[in-house]
Amino acid sequence: MNDMLLSAWRYRYFILSSIKTELRTKFIRSRLGGLWMILHPLSQALIFAFVLSAVLSAKLPGIDNQYAYAIYLMAGILGWSLFAEIVNRCLTLFIDNGNILKKLVFPRIALPLIVTGSALVNNALLFVAILAIFGVLGHLPGTALIWLPALMVVNIALALGLGLALGVLNVFMRDIGQIVPVILQFLFWFTPIVYMATIIPEQYRTWLVFNPMIPIVTGYQNVLLYNRAPDWSGLGVIALIALALLAFSLLLFRKASPEMVDQL
């Protein structure tokens, strides 16, 4: 595994230039350019805020801002969009780049790192846009914002570990590419992003412990909405799971890598 990580480090400039190229070519003929990277998740948040704010805003505890629900929603969307983009793109990463893998010689581990870097840039731009909207709505995050980079690290580790393992398995079992988007939809609605966890009936709340995204999304909401530190008792467990999943996915990737090209 050390050889794989060292080879990625030796190709770090290739990875960085690939991220720049990907972002540039993605919107090369678009008039709005990189704005589309933040308009899609923002429009989703605004639609939910417009449709559901009248129903749920009165039940949002601990904050008296009239736009509290919209702020809550955007905080959750920020965390979810980073996770979902990495998992979704890693899922078909090796299949989409089959020709490159067959024709060029480079460390294959560079591909998920390029995807992760690109998703991180997209998420950073979305974060800046959300901060601007928060300012317009009269809500500025406080000192708890210093916890956000740690939250992003846990989020990325979980998404990359899961996405890389699924991407490798999808090369050999294409059904995975069809099932995972459906599961992600269930996971999105099973995570308190557009609603508060308090509205879930008591008998079903115990199921929430099986959702690894809840401590992460709740952490984003605590930092950006309530200006308080995340609950690290729950996040610590998720961080350990993410590291274990990441180590497993790297081992799986290393073992399957020689046979992957033949399956593409």
Side-chain angles (χ1 to χ4, degrees), residues 27-250:
F27 304 105
I28 192 168
R29 294 187 178 178
S30 169
R31 291 184 180 276
L32 293 181
L35 283 177
W36 286 116
M37 291 187 290
I38 59 177
L39 286 178
H40 287 301
L42 275 183
S43 61
Q44 183 185 18
L46 291 175
I47 290 170
F48 282 133
F50 179 76
V51 174
L52 299 176
S53 60
V55 178
L56 296 175
S57 59
K59 298 178 182 178
L60 195 65
I63 187 166
D64 55 3
N65 190 308
Q66 61 176 322
Y67 303 108
Y69 176 70
I71 297 167
Y72 173 89
L73 188 59
M74 282 186 279
I77 289 288
L78 181 67
W80 175 263
S81 63
L82 179 60
F83 172 80
E85 182 175 354
I86 293 174
V87 173
N88 273 320
R89 292 197 55 198
C90 283
L91 181 63
T92 58
L93 179 65
F94 303 112
I95 296 173
D96 293 342
N97 292 281
N99 287 333
I100 296 175
L101 290 171
K102 290 176 182 176
K103 295 176 182 176
L104 298 181
V105 178
F106 67 100
R108 292 165 188 168
I109 194 64
L111 288 177
L113 295 178
I114 292 169
V115 164
T116 303
S118 176
L120 188 58
V121 172
N122 291 345
N123 201 251
L125 292 173
L126 177 62
F127 173 60
V128 172
I130 285 177
L131 281 184
I133 294 174
F134 280 6
V136 173
L137 299 181
H139 175 82
L140 292 177
T143 55
L145 208 59
I146 61 173
W147 293 106
L148 196 61
L151 275 172
M152 293 174 73
V153 169
V154 176
N155 197 0
I156 288 172
L158 181 66
L160 185 58
L162 186 62
L164 182 57
L166 292 171
V168 172
L169 293 175
N170 193 32
V171 173
F172 302 95
M173 295 177 286
R174 301 298 169 94
D175 290 340
I176 290 177
Q178 304 298 322
I179 295 171
V180 171
V182 178
I183 294 175
L184 282 178
Q185 283 293 319
F186 277 107
L187 190 62
F188 175 80
W189 288 105
F190 193 55
T191 305
I193 296 173
V194 300
Y195 59 87
M196 277 62 73
T198 52
I199 70 171
I200 299 175
E202 193 73 35
Q203 63 268 30
Y204 299 121
R205 289 186 194 176
T206 54
W207 295 6
L208 297 180
V209 298
F210 299 108
N211 183 349
M213 281 306 292
I214 289 182
I216 294 174
V217 168
T218 303
Y220 275 80
Q221 292 160 346
N222 282 339
V223 167
L224 293 173
L225 177 61
Y226 296 107
N227 189 30
R228 63 190 182 205
D231 177 14
W232 283 104
S233 59
L235 270 172
V237 175
I238 299 303
L240 292 175
I241 292 173
L243 287 176
L245 190 57
L246 197 55
F248 167 76
S249 65
L250 288 173

